[in-house]
Amino acid sequence: MIKKGQTIIEVKNLNKIFKIPKKSKNLSWMKKRLSWVYREWEDKVAVKNIDLTIKSGEILGYLGPNGAGKSTTIKMLTGILHPTSGEIKVLGGLSPFDDRNEYTQNIGVVFGQRSILAYDIAVKDSFRLFKAIYGLSEEFYQERVKYLVEMLGIDEFFETPYRMLSLGEKMRCELAASFLHKPQIVFLDEPTIGLDANAKITIRSFLKEINEKENVTIMITTHDMDDIEELCSRIVLIDKGEVAYSGSLDKFKQKYSNWKRINIHFKEITKPKKFESLKKKFEFNLKSKNNCTFKVPLKENLGSFLSELIGCVDLIDLSITEPKLENIVAKMYDKVKESKESTEEK
Ligand SMILES: Nc1ncnc2c1ncn2[C@@H]1O[C@H](COP(=O)(O)OP(=O)(O)OP(=O)(O)O)[C@@H](O)[C@H]1O
Ligand SMILES: [Mg+2]
């Protein structure tokens, strides 16, 4: 058993190249005619030189735009796909692909777009099947199911065929199933895709609790930045198969978000001259007669700005907002794109 804080997943120089059929428009007339027997292939680089270290007990957010290579990485980390090159060492030396039998006993997986539960039978029966696959004792199974069913609120439809459930109900069952055998690592590929706010909240609080209680390591991909803010202290951001950022969420925000917005509600302006000078210095927006915002760059001393501001109005209320994580991430993708384009041009 790997202790909390020890390395549980180590990835070095991981690559995955798919062979895809060459687009027929690039082929000669003759080759087009013969394409059903003769086909030219080209390389599609899905994952490029990825290095990753994940510590036991960590919840790692694995982010990136569509097609960045997130699912491909998860598939290699779970032993579904064989890497083209590179090294993956998990749980103290196992290789996901070569040691699949031993490895799968210790991991759980959820693919938000694909089910691990049987479509036509009751959820409970699928769970029984997993009990047999994982060789769980009746006593362990009963206790575990009770805990998971309660935590994820799936009692009501536990005996209903999977196909009859709503998207949110299905996902809660999928999650319960992936944690059934008390795995040491769980990979979640878009577990909140298409879910409503309530289902997302249930899932996030379940993941938080089980991570703390059982020290289970979680790697999660999502396009929902609230998942990341709620769950992850560290993120890895990939773009076109390559790591674009790896580090703490806080540092990421500090590095890429460079302003705060100060929103104030006031009775009146007591020192108009001072107020005017602040308006000139910072981006100002009058929302209504007694409500306005100032956008303050982080390089400014926020404390002295606030004391100046408070000194020139009769304040009722004040709040501070930061750029949304999803906007920072989107900006970051653009930056990566720009820098790649400019190096390509050179
Ligand atoms: N089996 C495959 N054969 C050929 N190309 C593939 C295969 N699987 C994935 N790809 C390609 O590899 C790239 C990465 O795909 P991947 O599914 O890993 O992206 P993703 O980051 O998970 O995106 P999304 O956010 O849309 O789920 C894409 O360009 C995709 O078309
Ligand atoms: Mg994906």
Side-chain angles (χ1 to χ4, degrees):
M1 186 80 180
I2 291 177
K3 284 191 197 134
K4 191 174 176 122
Q6 281 183 325
T7 298
I8 197 164
I9 299 175
E10 190 149 33
V11 173
K12 279 193 192 139
N13 221 357
L14 187 68
N15 287 280
K16 183 71 196 176
I17 301 170
F18 291 108
K19 292 271 176 222
I20 55 170
K22 222 173 184 173
K23 283 185 195 106
S24 57
K25 66 176 180 191
N26 298 330
L27 298 176
S28 66
W29 175 86
M30 182 64 100
K31 281 179 183 171
K32 256 186 212 172
R33 291 271 142 180
L34 291 171
S35 69
W36 57 281
V37 281
Y38 176 87
R39 180 154 260 181
E40 276 192 296
W41 299 84
E42 61 184 356
D43 286 349
K44 164 80 210 179
V45 180
V47 167
K48 196 174 171 189
N49 299 336
I50 283 191
D51 290 331
L52 264 183
T53 307
I54 305 178
K55 302 247 184 275
S56 169
E58 200 177 5
I59 307 185
L60 178 81
Y62 198 55
L63 310 180
N66 291 135
K70 303 179 297 295
S71 300
T72 306
T73 311
I74 300 262
K75 283 176 191 160
M76 288 191 279
L77 291 178
T78 48
I80 296 169
L81 281 179
H82 193 271
T84 306
S85 63
E87 192 181 49
I88 308 175
K89 269 195 198 156
V90 240
L91 295 163
L94 295 181
S95 153
F97 197 82
D98 300 331
D99 306 306
R100 244 189 304 182
N101 285 349
E102 187 183 343
Y103 182 51
T104 46
Q105 293 287 328
N106 292 295
I107 63 163
V109 191
V110 170
F111 285 105
Q113 320 227 29
R114 198 171 294 171
S115 169
I116 57 165
L117 297 172
Y119 192 68
D120 273 322
I121 60 172
V123 176
K124 191 179 177 179
D125 295 330
S126 281
F127 274 53
R128 284 250 153 222
L129 199 66
F130 284 120
K131 173 185 176 280
I133 291 171
Y134 292 122
L136 308 176
S137 73
E138 187 62 30
E139 192 191 349
F140 175 89
Y141 174 79
Q142 289 299 343
E143 202 178 304
R144 191 70 174 160
V145 164
K146 188 167 173 262
Y147 169 69
L148 293 170
V149 162
E150 206 171 287
M151 274 302 293
L152 285 158
I154 59 177
D155 195 23
E156 227 178 277
F157 42 85
F158 196 48
E159 293 185 24
T160 309
Y162 181 80
R163 71 182 147 79
M164 292 167 79
L165 305 183
S166 76
L167 197 61
E169 291 166 349
K170 278 181 179 150
M171 187 47 72
R172 283 184 276 154
C173 293
E174 295 277 337
L175 273 169
S178 69
F179 282 89
L180 186 64
H181 51 305
K182 224 177 187 179
Q184 292 188 58
I185 311 171
V186 174
F187 298 92
L188 305 171
D189 193 2
E190 301 195 42
T192 54
I193 191 165
L195 304 191
D196 70 16
N198 273 338
K200 283 182 183 176
I201 289 167
T202 308
I203 287 174
R204 286 178 200 138
S205 60
F206 165 72
L207 292 175
K208 253 196 229 169
E209 180 181 315
I210 202 157
N211 164 257
E212 270 167 33
K213 199 172 156 214
E214 298 179 0
N215 190 36
V216 51
T217 308
I218 298 173
M219 180 168 176
I220 179 170
T221 83
T222 177
H223 290 286
D224 186 325
M225 291 305 140
D226 288 341
D227 289 346
I228 298 296
E229 297 242 36
E230 286 267 328
L231 296 169
C232 309
S233 51
R234 198 162 74 87
I235 57 167
V236 170
L237 226 138
I238 61 164
D239 190 50
K240 297 202 176 72
E242 289 182 89
V243 173
Y245 175 85
S246 167
S248 84
L249 181 60
D250 284 345
K251 282 208 180 112
F252 176 77
K253 284 200 209 158
Q254 276 166 21
K255 193 167 172 193
Y256 293 100
S257 76
N258 48 11
W259 54 264
K260 286 193 184 198
R261 184 164 275 125
I262 318 300
N263 315 287
I264 56 164
H265 180 202
F266 54 89
K267 242 188 219 159
E268 57 179 346
I269 296 164
T270 49
K271 294 195 174 124
K273 263 193 183 162
K274 255 193 171 181
F275 192 80
E276 280 307 312
S277 77
L278 287 177
K279 267 171 67 179
K280 273 184 200 142
K281 199 167 165 201
F282 300 103
E283 198 179 310
F284 172 79
N285 189 5
L286 188 67
K287 286 184 153 179
S288 66
K289 195 171 156 260
N290 300 94
N291 279 291
C292 69
T293 67
F294 286 92
K295 192 172 167 183
V296 182
L298 283 192
K299 60 179 190 308
E300 295 288 333
N301 183 330
L302 194 63
S304 53
F305 166 78
L306 285 175
S307 58
E308 268 188 73
L309 180 64
I310 292 167
C312 57
V313 292
D314 188 355
L315 192 70
I316 297 172
D317 194 13
L318 180 147
S319 67
I320 301 176
T321 48
E322 295 178 5
K324 278 190 162 175
L325 182 59
E326 56 196 65
N327 295 340
I328 309 172
V329 169
K331 219 161 68 187
M332 163 100 194
Y333 294 156
D334 286 345
K335 269 194 190 152
V336 173
K337 222 186 283 165
E338 272 167 27
S339 71
K340 274 189 186 152
E341 274 162 12
S342 68
T343 40
E344 274 158 19
E345 275 163 20
K346 278 174 197 166

